[in-house]
């Protein structure tokens, strides 16, 4: 409290002045009487004069032995009742001054009896000293003099000699602490001086030090002063009889958390404890004995019987046998214990020495049987070590992701809140060194059986780390131990502990996170604190997910500034955090989708970041004066103060920090905006027609359509019933302003500030709306985030373009990538900036002598995407068109020529003329290797697709260039040491790929049905040859391996592209399809992964026929675990979506799949080979089969045996073997899952092209009764199905296809049944090693049954396969998992041919179709934000401590229905 200075208090004027004593006369000179007879009192004024004179004389006298006799008379008179009990306060005050002088002058022997001393001290303690609370008292100087004398002479010690003086001592302590607690009685507001506080403290110290024992109540009062540091405690609610009312009522001034100094009463108690530590230690120990041990006594007896802490599952509930269990402390006991433990915290901060006997008692509580006692002890010890007192921990540091300028790690210190002495952690000495046993026992609580204790312990160690053990510091070993313990708590088996651990991490400041938690490992290192925190973003418990994802998002949001500034330490620690967040997207969980929306736009990319106005907003406010001012300010501002650019940089930093998988998820979240915005626009239109429930016409139709729309929205969010109710209430509110605000958020014309303001205003309107339900805002927020243009906003386009051109902060490549995404999904945002884009193209246009910048290809692509959708918006100036022609003829990379042709054909007014001219110039004097020959090939390829009529006249010349001059020539023969795959494409290989695209694009643009087959035949033959010969076209077979890999991949993908058109799909024969399917098992991982991704992409967009689904099931032996699991989940999602549509397509393709397996190059009817095919069937059943459709699949397997092979009739037995095998596997699969399969009542048809009717009923009967499955295999099926149904990882299965490269030791897969296969998942390090790709091993040939072999027994078939050349134990294995080479990073498949992006020859014909629903893995993305593919199952991988690692967690929701008709 504010006080008067010591000098001011000491200078208080005296009330009276007396004559100076006479010189030369020893002893007391005063000889006037102070007593009177009854009925004849001395007049008051005279009595006061005499007392003043006596006091003045004695005050100036020193203690002399020979003068003591002169005080005898005066001393006797002063002790009479007439003076001590006088009614006038002045008389009492002057009497007290005289009495303390008598005690001073006669020390050490007071000239009074015990009774007289009692009366004297009663006057002093009950009247004089309490009057010090009023500094305005006219006798305050006399009161201060009495206090100073008692303190300096120590005459207060006489109080301890008085019999039964406990009441007086108690009154003295109570009065002093009440006075110093701020309870001043001054009317003027004068404060008590510091000298008074000092003397009071000295008196109390003397009493404590000189007393043999203190009354228990006095100890209570002393200890209670430490609770004044707790601003939450305003009253003393003790339930103990002898402590009732002892704890003081705190003044309101004590309740603030912003005290600059400790309360005086607190300081008095602290000084007492520190001055008399030994005595106070005994008293405090006795105090806590009375409180702690008394409260613990009820469970002490039980503790002796139950030494272990094993109890029922619920710690709060007693055992059924209550007689054997301790009853535990009562509620009142727990309240008293809580108060006592808060005092312990503060006592450690104030005077740790007095706790030397209490700490062992607290340590004993750690082992108490009662949970509440252990909890109190754990919390208290954690705070004691941290130096946290009764006021609690300091407020957490500000962690605002939207703050600007952002936090910088290089700053000397973080911005902190105002200093608060009560909450600032402070430990006078290191607790671990002072009490090592108690500290060790505290650390052992991490293994406590109670989750409640472990949670409190986790909070405690977090505070210890945060405060560096109360400021005294931790050794490196101690800090390392605590950090590891915190990491282990993040993966505790109990969700409460995990939540507590996450909150602990979230309470750290930015610098502490980097220095303490991330000093040894960041987000990427398994087992570290930040890694385990990131894993909580995908926790099985939603409450943990919320805390984990929000905490991780907030940390990265605050660290984004340091990461953007290039701080290497922060970047290495936290760069991977966004990837961990967006990785949760693949769980396909609605609650996670909503959480991701909030985290993305509230923490990672906060709506209000940066909290400054952009220059453009200042320039468009309509106020001319403000415009002028803004221009002046804008000229003076640094460019980094441009809000749009700052925000754009944050977006690019986020995308840059995402790994490939997370980046696909992020882009998928932005892709859905287009679809959701369309549905939302329709919803708003229907709400307007609904008119709050009042409609004049078409009421039934409006309600029906609105019902479908609301149901669709409800299906995309958790709790559909609540969402539906909220949206109906929103429609009934009929707030037209809200409708318009939502439209502002979705409009491509809205800049970012408009969108932000619209969301802000809409939020306020909903919160203030009287009829709005409580959860409406919670429902609308995620929908609003999904429908609004927050990332692909037109305000960000100029900054993205600038970053792409300048490569500032090394963000150029990311800016290019974002430009491609914008041009793919929301090209309309370019409307305001198309002129700027075109100007950039003009300036960068190449010539024969001046090349263009390589990065300009992304600007061209963005402009091409815009031109296809808004061709009229493209400039028509001659200079711009000429620049496009220059790109077409001289562009580098060649993809720039492709995009230039797209723009020219889409927007050119005389495109036919330009096309003819470009064809002529491209083929004229064409020579391989000349300047820009690749650009010419790319131009011809695109013109062949977009302007076929203009190319037709020169088609022969173009085809001659493609085939004879490019494809059939090998200019760089293969040489020893060539790799199977090269990231950098050589010109020869690129030229051949463009040549292939020329031939295929000619087919795609051909419209004459009569000649289509004739033109397609040679192209199909060429593509089939490339696949069959593994990319080889040369008779000399000298094509480099990397070229062959690229060519067979492109051939397979071009097949897929052709088959997206039904006429060309009809031309693909079953045999060609079978060969195409084997590309999914290509020896090179790059080839098969890119191919399968393209298949998934087209299937997800419903561009390919259903038979192509069978290709993905050939990944059963895919050695790259992540890719196989992603594909499995993609199939599961598609199956769920089709099931919602009441489609049996996924079940019907089982027949096609069996046919594909029957013609598989590795097929053999031996028991060992058939055992390997069990994995294929199970790989189909696991994501597709359910208890409802298993009967349909079984029926189809039976139907296959009722037909013959239409492709190769002589191999029909292959189908029968597989039919029996499939039926047996399905039956065992049914048993494993406990399903009851009923006979399918219907009849499923089989594809005519694959299956033919049997010649007669007798043949059918013979086949039906024959058992084709070998008996040897029958006995092994149970183990095979059971084991392979459980195991998920490819590393646990040797690879099957002989097309894979054999590099692992010889070991038969058929021998690896249940005893040899592990049941637990392997570590991540093991799975990571399986993704490496062998680049130098030789390919094993594909063995096919000879066409001349017509024997229907398995033995001849095996002879034809030349088993001696390739042992069966080796030809079904792959060395890819064990090979060493580059790790293949999957490429984004957001448009046709983009998986060949580095070669830069992308087919423009699919720029729009293939981009409309590009997914996170190349498959369709539904508007619910759930990628159909690449979603990784979450079972068994989220919480380390969980035991059910092998248990499936089918949380994938699959695809939700397509948007309702938006009219």
């Amino acid at each position: 409290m504010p006080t008067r200075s010591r000098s001011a208090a000491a200078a208080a004027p005296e009330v009276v002045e007396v004559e100076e004593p006479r010189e030369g006369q020893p002893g007391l000179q005063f000889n006037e009487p102070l007593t009177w007879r009854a009925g004849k009192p001395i007049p008051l004024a005279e009595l006061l004069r005499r007392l003043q004179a006596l006091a003045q004389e004695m005050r100036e006298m020193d203690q002399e032995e020979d003068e003591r006799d002169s005080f005898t008379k005066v001393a006797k008179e002063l002790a009479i009742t007439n003076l001590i009990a006088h009614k006038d306060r002045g008389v009492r005050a002057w009497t007290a001054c005289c009495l303390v002088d008598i005690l001073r002058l006669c020390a050490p022997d007071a000239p009074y009896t015990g009774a007289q001393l009692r009366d004297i001290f009663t006057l002093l303690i009950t009247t004089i000293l309490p009057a010090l609370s009023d500094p305005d008292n006219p006798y305050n100087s006399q009161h201060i003099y009495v206090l100073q004398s008692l303190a300096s002479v120590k005459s207060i010690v006489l109080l301890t000699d008085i019999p039964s003086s406990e009441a007086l001592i108690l009154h003295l302590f109570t009065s002093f602490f009440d006075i110093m607690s701020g309870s001043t009685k001054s009317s003027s507001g004068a404060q008590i001086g510091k000298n008074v506080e000092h003397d009071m403290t000295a008196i109390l110290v003397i009493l404590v030090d000189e007393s043999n024992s203190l009354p228990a109540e006095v100890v209570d009062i002393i200890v209670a002063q430490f609770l004044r540091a707790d601003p939450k405690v305003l009253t003393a609610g003790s339930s103990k009889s002898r402590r009732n009312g002892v704890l003081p009522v705190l003044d309101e001034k004590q309740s603030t958390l912003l005290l600059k100094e400790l309360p005086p009463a607190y300081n008095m108690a602290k000084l007492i404890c520190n001055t008399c530590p030994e005595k106070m230690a005994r008293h405090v120990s006795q105090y806590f004995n009375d409180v702690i041990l008394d409260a613990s006594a009820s469970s002490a007896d039980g503790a002796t019987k139950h030494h272990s802490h094993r109890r029922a599952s619920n710690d709060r509930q007693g055992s059924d046998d209550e007689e054997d269990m301790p009853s535990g402390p009562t509620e009142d006991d727990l309240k008293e214990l809580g108060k006592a433990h808060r005092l312990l915290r503060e006592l450690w901060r104030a005077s740790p020495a007095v706790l030397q006997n209490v700490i062992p008692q607290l340590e004993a509580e750690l082992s108490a049987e009662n949970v509440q006692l252990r909890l109190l002890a754990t919390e208290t010890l954690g705070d004691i070590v941290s130096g946290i007192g009764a006021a609690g921990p300091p407020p957490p540091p500000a962690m605002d992701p939207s703050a600007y300028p952002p936090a910088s790690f290089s700053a000397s210190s973080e911005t902190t809140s105002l200093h608060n002495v009560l909450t600032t952690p402070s430990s006078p000495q290191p607790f671990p060194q002072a009490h090592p046993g108690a500290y060790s026992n505290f650390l052992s609580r991490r293994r406590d059986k109670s989750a409640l204790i472990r949670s409190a312990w986790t909070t405690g160690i977090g505070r210890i780390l945060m405060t560096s053990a109360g400021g005294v510091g931790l050794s490196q070993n101690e800090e390392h131990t605590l950090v590891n313990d915190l990491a282990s708590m993040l993966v505790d088996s109990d969700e409460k502990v995990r939540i507590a651990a996450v909150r602990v991490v979230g309470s750290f400041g930015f610098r502490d996170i980097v220095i303490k938690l991330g000093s040894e490992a960041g987000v990427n290192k398994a087992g570290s604190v930040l890694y385990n925190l990131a894993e909580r973003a995908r926790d099985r418990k939603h409450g943990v997910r919320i805390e984990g994802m929000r905490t991780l998002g907030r940390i990265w949001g605050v660290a984004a500034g340091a990461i953007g500034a290039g701080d290497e330490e922060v970047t290495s620690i936290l760069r991977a955090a966004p990837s961990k967040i967006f990785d949760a997207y693949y769980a396909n969980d609605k609650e996670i989708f909503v959480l991701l929306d909030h985290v993305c736009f509230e923490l990672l990319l906060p709506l209000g970041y940066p909290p400054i106005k952009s220059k453009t907003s200042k320039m468009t406010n309509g106020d001319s004066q403000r415009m002028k001012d803004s221009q002046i300010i804008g000229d003076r501002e640094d460019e980094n103060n441009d809000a749009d650019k700052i925000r754009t940089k944050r977006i690019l930093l986020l995308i840059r920090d995402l790994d490939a998988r997370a980046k696909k998820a992020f882009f998928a979240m932005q892709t859905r905006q287009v679809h959701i915005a369309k549905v939302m626009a329709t919803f708003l239109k229907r709400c307007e027609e609904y008119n709050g429930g009042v409609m004049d016409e078409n009421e039934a139709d409006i309600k029906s359509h609105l019902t479908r729309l609301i149901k669709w929205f409800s299906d995309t969010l958790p709790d559909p019933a609540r969402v539906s109710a909220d949206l109906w209430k929103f429609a009934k509110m009929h707030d037209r302003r809200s409708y318009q605000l939502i439209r502002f958020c979705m409009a491509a014309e809205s800049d970012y500030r408009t969108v932000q303001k619209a969301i802000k205003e809409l939020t306020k309107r909903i919160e203030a709306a009287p009829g709005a339900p409580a959860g409406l805002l919670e429902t609308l927020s995620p929908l609003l985030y999904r429908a609004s243009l927050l990332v692909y906003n037109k305000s960000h386009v100029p900054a993205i373009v600038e970053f792409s051109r300048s490569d500032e902060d090394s963000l150029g490549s990311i800016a290019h990538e974002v430009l491609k995404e914008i041009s793919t999904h929301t090209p309309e945002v370019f409307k305001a900036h198309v002129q700027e884009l075109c100007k950039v193209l003009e300036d960068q246009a190449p010539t024969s002598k001046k090349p263009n910048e390589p990065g300009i290809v992304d600007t061209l692509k963005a402009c091409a995407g815009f031109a296809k959708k808004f061709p009229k918006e493209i400039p028509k100036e001659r200079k711009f068109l000429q620049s496009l022609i220059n790109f077409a003829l001289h562009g580098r990379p060649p993809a720039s020529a492709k995009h230039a042709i797209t723009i020219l054909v889409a927007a050119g007014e005389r495109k036919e003329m330009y096309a003819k001219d470009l064809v002529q110039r491209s083929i004229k004097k064409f020579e391989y290797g000349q300047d820009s020959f690749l650009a010419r090939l790319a131009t011809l390829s695109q013109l062949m697709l977009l302007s076929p009529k203009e190319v037709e006249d020169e088609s022969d010349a173009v085809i001659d260039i493609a085939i004879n001059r490019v494809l059939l020539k090998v200019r760089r023969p293969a040489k020893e040491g060539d790799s199977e795959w090269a990231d950098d494409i050589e010109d020869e290989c690129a030229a051949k790929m463009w040549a292939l695209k020329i031939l295929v694009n000619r087919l795609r643009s051909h419209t004459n049905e009569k000649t289509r087959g004739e033109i397609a035949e040679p192209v199909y033959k060429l593509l089939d040859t490339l696949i069959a010969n593994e990319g080889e076209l040369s008779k000399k077979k000298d094509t480099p391996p990397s070229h062959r890999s690229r060519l067979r991949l492109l051939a397979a993908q071009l097949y897929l592209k052709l088959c997206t058109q039904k006429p060309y799909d009809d031309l693909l024969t079953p045999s060609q399809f079978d060969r195409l399917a084997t590309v999914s098992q290509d020896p090179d991982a790059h080839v098969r992964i890119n191919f399968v991704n393209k298949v998934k992409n087209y299937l997800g967009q419903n561009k390919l026929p259903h038979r192509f689904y069978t290709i993905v099931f050939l990944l059963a032996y895919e050695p790259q675990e992540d890719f196989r699991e992603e594909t499995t989940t993609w199939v599961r999602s598609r199956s769920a979506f089709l099931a919602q549509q009441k489609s049996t397509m996924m079940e019907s393709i089982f027949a096609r799949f069996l046919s594909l397996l029957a013609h598989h190059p590795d097929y053999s009817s031996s028991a060992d080979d058939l055992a390997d095919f069990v994995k294929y069937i199970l790989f189909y059943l696991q994501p597709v089969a359910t208890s409802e459709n298993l009967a349909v699949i079984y029926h189809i397997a039976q139907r296959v045996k009722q037909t013959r092979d239409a492709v190769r009739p002589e191999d029909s037995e292959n189908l029968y073997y597989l039919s029996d095998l499939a039926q047996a596997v399905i039956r065992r699969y049914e048993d494993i899952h406990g399903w009851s399969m009923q006979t399918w009542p219907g009849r499923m048809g089989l594809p005519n092209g694959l299956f033919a009717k049997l010649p007669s009923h007798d043949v059918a009967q013979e086949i039906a009764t024959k058992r084709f499955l070998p008996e040897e295999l029958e006995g092994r099926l149970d183990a095979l199905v059971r084991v392979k149904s459980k195991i998920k990882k490819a590393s646990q299965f040797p690879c099957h296809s002989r097309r894979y490269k054999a590099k692992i030791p010889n070991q038969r897969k058929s021998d690896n049944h249940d005893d040899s296969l592990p049941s637990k998942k392997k570590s991540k390090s093991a799975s990571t090693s399986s993704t490496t790709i062998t680049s130098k091993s030789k390919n094993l040939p594909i063995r096919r049954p000879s066409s001349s072999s017509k024997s229907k027994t398995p033995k001849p078939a095996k002879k034809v396969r030349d088993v001696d050349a390739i042992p069966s134990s080796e030809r079904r294995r792959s060395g890819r998992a064990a090979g060493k080479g580059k790790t293949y990073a999957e490429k984004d498949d957001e448009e046709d041919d983009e998986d060949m992006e580095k070669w830069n020859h992308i087919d423009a014909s699919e720029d729009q179709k293939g981009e409309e629903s590009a997914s996170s893995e190349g498959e369709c993305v539904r508007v619910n934000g759930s990628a159909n593919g690449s979603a990784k199952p979450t079972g068994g991988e989220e919480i380390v401590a969980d035991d059910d690692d092998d248990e499936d967690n089918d949380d994938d929701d699959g695809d939700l229905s397509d948007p309702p008709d938006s009219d």
Side-chain angles (χ1 to χ4, degrees), residues 74-98:
V74 174
K76 182 179 179 180
E77 291 180 345
L78 288 173
I80 65 175
T81 307
N82 290 343
L83 291 178
I84 293 177
H86 199 282
K87 64 181 179 179
D88 184 75
R89 57 181 177 176
V91 173
R92 293 195 303 270
W94 285 109
T95 300
C97 290
C98 295

Side-chain angles (χ1 to χ4, degrees), residues 451 806 949 962 1199 1354:
S806 64
K949 292 183 180 180
R1199 289 275 292 129

Side-chain angles (χ1 to χ4, degrees), residues 1003 1006 1008-1019 1067:
L1003 287 184
H1006 192 79
N1008 191 331
E1009 296 181 2
K1010 296 182 180 179
T1011 59
R1012 179 179 288 134
E1014 179 182 351
I1015 294 177
E1017 182 180 357
V1019 178
L1067 296 177

Side-chain angles (χ1 to χ4, degrees), residues 307-323:
H307 295 287
S308 69
H309 289 167
R310 295 190 180 95
R311 293 193 303 276
S313 59
N314 190 342
D315 289 316
R316 298 177 181 267
Q317 296 177 356
S319 171
D320 293 336
D321 187 3
E322 296 182 357
E323 296 180 356

Side-chain angles (χ1 to χ4, degrees), residues 122 286 381 727 770 1378 1425:
T122 299
Q286 184 61 43
L381 275 175
L727 292 179

Side-chain angles (χ1 to χ4, degrees), residues 506-728:
S507 64
F508 279 74
F510 174 45
R511 290 178 60 82
D512 284 342
I513 290 174
V514 175
I515 295 175
K516 297 179 180 178
L517 303 185
S519 59
E520 297 183 6
V523 176
N524 281 326
K525 184 177 179 180
S528 68
V529 170
L530 295 176
Y531 177 88
N532 290 344
L533 172 67
E535 289 300 302
R536 301 288 64 76
R538 297 181 68 248
D539 198 281
R540 291 178 180 173
K541 300 294 184 179
H542 188 57
V544 185
R545 287 199 298 262
I546 293 175
E547 294 289 343
M549 195 177 293
R550 284 189 172 277
T551 300
L552 189 63
R554 183 177 292 104
I555 290 173
W556 186 91
V558 173
I563 294 174
D567 191 297
E568 294 183 359
E569 183 177 6
V570 178
T571 302
S572 63
I573 293 171
L574 296 172
R575 183 172 186 172
S579 296
K580 298 292 185 179
I581 292 174
F582 287 102
D583 189 57
Y585 182 86
Y586 294 96
N588 278 353
D589 183 271
K590 296 175 185 178
E591 290 180 331
I592 292 181
F593 291 150
V594 172
L595 180 58
L596 270 175
D597 293 329
H598 286 284
V599 171
C600 182
F601 298 113
E602 294 171 8
L603 298 173
L604 298 177
L605 303 172
L607 288 178
Y609 178 83
I612 58 176
K613 294 183 179 180
S614 63
K615 297 176 185 177
T616 55
S617 66
K618 295 177 182 178
M619 298 292 291
T620 58
N621 57 11
D623 189 334
S624 60
Q625 181 61 41
R626 292 186 65 187
M627 286 176 61
K628 182 178 179 180
D629 294 342
S630 298
Q631 290 171 354
I632 295 173
I633 295 173
D635 292 339
R636 294 177 180 177
E637 283 182 333
D638 187 85
E639 63 175 355
N640 289 331
N641 289 331
D642 179 9
D644 290 331
K645 183 175 182 180
I646 293 170
R647 190 183 314 106
T648 302
K649 182 178 179 180
R650 177 80 161 254
I651 295 172
L652 296 179
L653 279 174
L654 174 66
I655 300 174
R656 185 198 68 181
D657 290 346
L658 299 177
D659 56 27
R661 178 181 172 86
K663 189 182 297 182
K664 293 168 186 175
F666 178 81
F667 285 145
M669 291 175 64
Q670 313 314 315
T671 300
R672 69 186 176 185
Q673 185 275 334
V674 179
H675 305 286
I676 295 181
K678 291 178 181 179
V679 182
M680 182 63 75
T682 306
F683 172 71
L684 296 178
K685 181 180 178 182
R686 292 292 176 263
C687 285
E688 290 176 331
E689 295 174 353
Y690 184 69
N691 195 30
V694 181
M695 293 155 282
D696 296 333
E697 57 184 10
N698 299 327
E699 180 176 351
D701 291 342
I702 294 173
K703 285 186 176 180
S704 175
H705 201 174
L706 191 57
T707 299
R708 294 200 305 273
L709 288 164
I710 290 177
K711 183 181 183 304
W712 183 86
F713 278 126
S714 301
D715 289 340
T716 65
L717 297 175
D719 196 357
R722 180 186 60 81
V723 173
S724 178
D726 289 343
L727 292 179
W728 274 113

Side-chain angles (χ1 to χ4, degrees), residues 46 93 107 236 290 590 595 626 894 994 1087 1097 1335 1395 1428 1431:
E46 178 62 21
D290 294 341
K590 296 175 185 178
L595 180 58
R626 292 186 65 187
W994 282 112
V1087 175
N1097 182 21
S1335 59
D1395 43 11
N1428 288 338

